[in-house]
Every structure is written in C-alpha cells, then in structure tokens.
Amino acid sequence: MRSANLTELFTTSTTGYNTIVDPKTNSSVYVLTNGGGNANLTPETAKTFTTGFVYSPPALPGFNISVDYFDIDIDNVITTVSAQDIVTRCANGNADMCSRVTRDATGGISRIVSTYVNLANYKTDGVDAEISYATNLDRLIPDAPGRIRARWLMTWVNSLTTNDGVSKIEYVKSQGYSFGLGTPKSRMTAALDWSGKVFSANLRARYISPGNYNNTVDLVNGHIKAYTYVDLGVQAKLPEVMGHEVELYANATNLFDKDPPVSSLYSPYYDVIGRYVTVGARMRF
C-alpha cells in the first residue's frame, strides 16, 4: 500500500508542448500540455510476486547465473497519463479523460491536462537475468597479464498494461514515445572488462529490441528497428602523488555515433545526443 508523495500531490503546474495524433481527425497536432500534482489522489495497493535462483558452479569459480521472475499488479495506481494516451482513452469512451481535453471552436485540440491521476490498474510481468564470469587472464591464456570480467544482463517484459476502467492499453513495444509508459520487449547489456597493474579497459554493447513509436497510433513509418550501441573506456594508474592514488580515464559513449529513431527526443532508451567523449582524473584521498 502506498500513499501519494509530495511531488505527486503538490507539484506546481508545468507547461509543455507535445505532438499527438487526434483520433477524431487522424491528423498530427502540436498541443499545449499542462502537468502537475493532484491533491485528490488516493492510496494505491499492490500484489507483487517475485521468484528466482542463483547458480555458482563449484567446478567453475567466478561464474554466476541469476534469473528472476517478477509479477506486479497495482490497483488504483498513481501515475501520469501521456497526452497521446489521454486523447486515445477519451476516444475509447472515458469521460474523465475527455474532461482533460480542451477543444477550440473549430473542434481542434488546444490544451491537454496531464496531472497525476489514479488509474484502475497497472500490471506487468517479465524476467531479469544475469550471467557473469571473472578470472585471471592467465587461466585462459598462458602468461597473459591482468584479470578479465565478462557480464551479460537482460530484462524481458512479457506485458505492461494500464486500465482506466474503460479501456486497457498494452505498452510493450510502444517504445518511441518518450512521455508514455512504453517499453521494449527486451533490453540487453554485454560488457567485457580487462584490468592490469597500470592499464585497464572496458567494452560495452547495449541492445534494444525492435518495436514501434506508439502502438496506439496508426503511423505509416512508426516501426523502430533493433538498436545496438557500443561504448569504450580506458583507464591508467599513475605513480602516487603525495601518497594518493591517481587515475586518468577516457570514455566514449555511442562510439560509432549511431543516430536515434526519428522523433525520439527525451527518450529513456535511445541516445539522442550522439557520440560523446569524457576525459578526467581521479585522486583517492
């Protein structure tokens, strides 16, 4: 059981603009959106089930596997509803959502109110998994220096839905719309690290499964292909300075400067900046 927090109750009004598809006209509109808190929120209640296992075989020291299943079912869930979902739910017959949509004299949408609300239900289930292996490199390659660690992580989402009491929306694969609950079917991260006495390096690949911009909207070019980003980092330890350890580092994120999907600005899944490099130094006191 959870009551609304201060942010959900009392955040002052926010103003933004979103491009949405009006279900009445099936055309794109750029519309004013107001968000903020809602002092009338009531507590949400949830039933959550998780189970999993960890396996570390004695015959292979440093090797680990973990798998966890989750099932989350929240009634009266406290959440925000994206501008697109508000007009979609209104078109599906939800009168409360229609009260949040203002239309002008011509029938066009002029304003949408997207404050926190209580929806009837939120439900999701899926699997988290991890495989890792760490060992001295000379166990694999004779006389090779340093230590390596390989790690693979995955999240697979079977379903993620919200129900407003009138209609239910499935958000899995609806992953391009940055202001909604959309999530990819699966995300994976694979990393390989090597560390020596002076130098170390790490290589990482981030994978996002294919999906769509927004499944609730019929878009001709709404499909998003699978994405893989590559990151690289290197570090070097310097001689101690006044008894303190000093390390130089450089990291390149999105090493190959992969462009994001169209209209994925502010996306939590895609790199909308492009390749960027950071360099710096650390001193441990």
Side-chain angles (χ1 to χ4, degrees):
M1 181 176 182
R2 185 183 77 89
S3 296
N5 59 39
L6 292 176
T7 298
E8 294 161 338
L9 289 169
F10 302 118
T11 298
T12 56
S13 180
T14 61
T15 300
Y17 285 85
N18 289 294
T19 300
I20 65 168
V21 176
D22 186 349
K24 283 191 174 183
T25 61
N26 201 31
S27 60
S28 295
V29 293
Y30 191 57
V31 62
L32 169 68
T33 304
N34 292 127
N38 180 356
N40 296 317
L41 294 173
T42 57
E44 62 184 22
T45 58
K47 295 178 181 178
T48 300
F49 173 77
T50 61
T51 185
F53 70 89
V54 177
Y55 179 57
S56 302
L60 189 58
F63 182 78
N64 299 281
I65 297 177
S66 67
V67 178
D68 295 283
Y69 170 76
F70 59 87
D71 187 301
I72 303 168
D73 191 346
I74 308 174
D75 291 329
N76 207 34
V77 62
I78 299 169
T79 186
T80 56
V81 182
S82 68
Q84 182 64 67
D85 285 356
I86 288 174
V87 296
T88 299
R89 292 179 186 277
C90 173
N92 291 339
N94 188 309
D96 179 65
M97 293 296 167
C98 289
S99 70
R100 294 171 170 269
V101 181
T102 302
R103 294 183 179 271
D104 57 26
T106 65
I109 299 175
S110 59
R111 178 174 177 255
I112 296 174
V113 177
S114 182
T115 56
Y116 284 93
V117 296
N118 288 109
L119 291 184
N121 181 262
Y122 169 105
K123 184 174 176 60
T124 185
D125 68 301
V127 174
D128 291 325
E130 177 180 355
I131 300 175
S132 64
Y133 179 61
T135 186
N136 292 329
L137 190 55
D138 59 9
R139 290 188 60 189
L140 305 177
I141 305 173
D143 300 323
R147 184 172 176 82
I148 64 165
R149 185 188 186 201
R151 191 181 186 203
W152 175 83
L153 301 116
M154 180 205 71
T155 293
W156 175 79
V157 183
N158 178 52
S159 176
L160 193 162
T161 61
T162 60
N163 191 328
D164 60 13
V166 177
S167 62
K168 181 169 69 174
I169 292 179
E170 171 66 69
Y171 290 95
V172 172
K173 292 189 175 182
S174 184
Q175 61 207 49
Y177 187 49
S178 58
F179 299 99
L181 296 172
T183 183
K185 189 73 173 178
S186 63
R187 285 178 289 160
M188 304 180 194
T189 300
L192 181 64
D193 302 336
W194 173 83
S195 58
K197 291 182 178 180
V198 177
F199 297 101
S200 59
N202 57 82
L203 181 67
R204 181 177 66 175
R206 295 174 283 136
Y207 170 83
I208 305 165
S209 63
N212 299 304
Y213 178 74
N214 189 335
N215 287 337
T216 66
V217 181
D218 185 16
L219 299 175
V220 175
N221 59 345
H223 179 71
I224 300 174
K225 64 181 181 180
Y227 265 68
T228 300
Y229 293 105
V230 177
D231 308 323
L232 177 65
V234 293
Q235 301 85 35
K237 296 178 181 178
L238 300 182
E240 289 189 356
V241 177
M242 300 178 63
H244 300 298
E245 295 181 5
V246 178
E247 180 183 71
L248 302 180
Y249 67 88
N251 299 308
T253 303
N254 190 2
L255 182 64
F256 300 113
D257 198 24
K258 193 176 184 68
D259 291 333
V262 175
S263 299
S264 60
L265 189 63
Y266 307 120
S267 169
Y269 305 115
Y270 301 103
D271 184 351
V272 299
I273 297 176
R275 178 178 56 239
Y276 60 96
V277 177
T278 58
V279 296
R282 299 185 184 96
M283 176 179 286
R284 292 181 174 87
F285 293 92

